[in-house]
Amino acid sequence: MSVHSIALRTAASFESATSRLTDTILGAVEQDLAETMKAIAAEIGLCHIAYLRLSPDKSTDICLLVAVVTYSRLWQHRYFVKKYMANDPVISYGRQAVQPFDWGNLPVDDPTTKAFFADALNHSVGRNGLSIPLRNRRGVYAVVSFTSDLEKDEWESYKTSNTRGLQLLSVLIDSAANINFKLPSSPVQLSIREEQCLLWAARGKTYQEIAEILGLAFGSVKTHLDGARHKLRCMNLTHAAAVAFATGVIPAQALK
């Protein structure tokens, strides 16, 4: 199969995954979110997807608000029994992160961290991992992780081609989890232009592309996106899009 054919297949898979999550958000399907995520992982060529939402409180017994994962029941049970949440390096790093991070770049000098990743690998979590941090204006944050068993060079190529798509899926998964668990909405009001610009940004468009789509000046797009981010009290546009969709500031219907 040619590189072009693979790229087209991957793009189609992400489009299908986006549609699946949109249907979940809109209530068009009644499938469990974990099952939807499992189907998406297989569709986009990954092993697992994990969604964890935590409160600002770092107390390990009350900080986990929502968890939706596709890991095996054996690993989920072991994670709980071994109390891994207290020293899970993905969660620890994710609390401070504002950009996607590869598990391979996390510090592994600590014996506890090494043991955790070794145990995870033995339980088929995947040899590679990429996590997307999301944060909302209430201080609650989420981490969406994607894992694979690709060889290192293939994994690097996959990330280069698909990180933006994975960021959008993370936003949609966060929104679906909000609706699934009936979390409260936010009173923030965006202007029509702020909403339009943020919606296109969530779909992976650059400032220049958004300007061309909406017939606006580049500077105007930047102003509208900065305004939306400021109102939502988010550090970057990925987080702003996640908060906007998850809290209903931008209606889920806008994703259609």
Side-chain angles (χ1 to χ4, degrees):
M1 183 178 291
S2 68
V3 173
H4 179 65
S5 297
I6 293 174
L8 287 176
R9 187 184 66 177
T10 302
S13 296
F14 271 89
E15 184 175 345
S16 175
T18 299
S19 295
R20 283 177 182 272
L21 287 168
T22 301
D23 287 343
T24 299
I25 292 168
L26 297 176
V29 294
E30 296 183 359
Q31 187 177 39
D32 180 76
L33 180 56
E35 289 301 314
T36 298
M37 288 163 54
K38 185 175 182 179
I40 288 172
E43 200 167 31
I44 63 176
L46 297 177
C47 293
H48 293 288
I49 301 175
Y51 174 84
L52 296 176
R53 174 178 298 179
L54 296 97
S55 72
D57 194 320
K58 295 184 180 180
S59 172
T60 57
D61 58 345
I62 65 171
C63 66
L64 182 61
L65 298 180
V66 176
V68 186
V69 302
T70 66
Y71 301 137
S72 68
R73 290 190 178 277
L74 179 60
W75 173 244
Q76 293 181 54
H77 176 72
R78 185 168 180 79
Y79 189 96
F80 174 77
V81 171
K82 299 283 285 185
K83 298 181 179 178
Y84 277 144
M85 180 167 287
N87 47 40
D88 184 336
V90 175
I91 291 178
S92 300
Y93 189 86
R95 281 192 179 278
Q96 307 300 325
V98 295
Q99 297 293 335
F101 58 93
D102 190 299
W103 293 4
N105 296 326
L106 294 176
V108 292
D109 297 334
D110 179 44
T112 303
T113 299
K114 288 183 178 180
F116 171 81
F117 278 126
D119 202 10
L121 185 61
N122 288 335
H123 286 81
S124 303
V125 168
R127 72 176 77 181
N128 309 297
L130 178 73
S131 292
I132 313 292
L134 305 169
R135 200 177 307 273
N136 76 14
R137 64 196 300 269
R138 296 180 180 84
V140 177
Y141 83 95
V143 176
V144 185
S145 297
F146 303 88
T147 71
S148 91
D149 270 332
L150 294 172
E151 295 296 334
K152 184 173 178 57
D153 57 340
E154 294 177 318
W155 174 238
E156 291 301 322
S157 178
Y158 185 94
K159 285 191 304 177
T160 298
S161 301
N162 300 308
T163 294
R164 183 171 289 179
L166 294 176
Q167 287 177 296
L168 175 56
L169 291 185
S170 298
V171 171
L172 297 177
I173 289 170
D174 189 55
S175 297
N178 264 313
I179 293 170
N180 228 29
F181 293 91
K182 297 180 173 61
L183 297 175
S185 61
S186 166
V188 171
Q189 294 291 324
L190 300 182
S191 71
I192 293 176
R193 284 303 193 192
E194 288 170 343
E195 182 177 319
Q196 289 174 332
C197 290
L198 189 56
L199 180 59
W200 283 111
R203 289 171 175 164
K205 300 300 182 182
T206 65
Y207 282 31
Q208 187 58 48
E209 288 171 334
I210 295 171
E212 292 172 0
I213 290 169
L214 298 178
L216 299 174
F218 180 94
S220 296
V221 171
K222 185 178 186 306
T223 297
H224 291 312
L225 287 174
D226 285 345
R229 183 175 56 80
H230 177 73
K231 287 181 180 179
L232 292 163
R233 300 184 183 179
C234 293
M235 299 185 70
N236 59 44
L237 292 179
T238 300
H239 298 160
V243 174
F245 287 119
T247 61
V249 172
I250 294 180
Q253 288 81 354
L255 294 170
K256 295 187 90 173

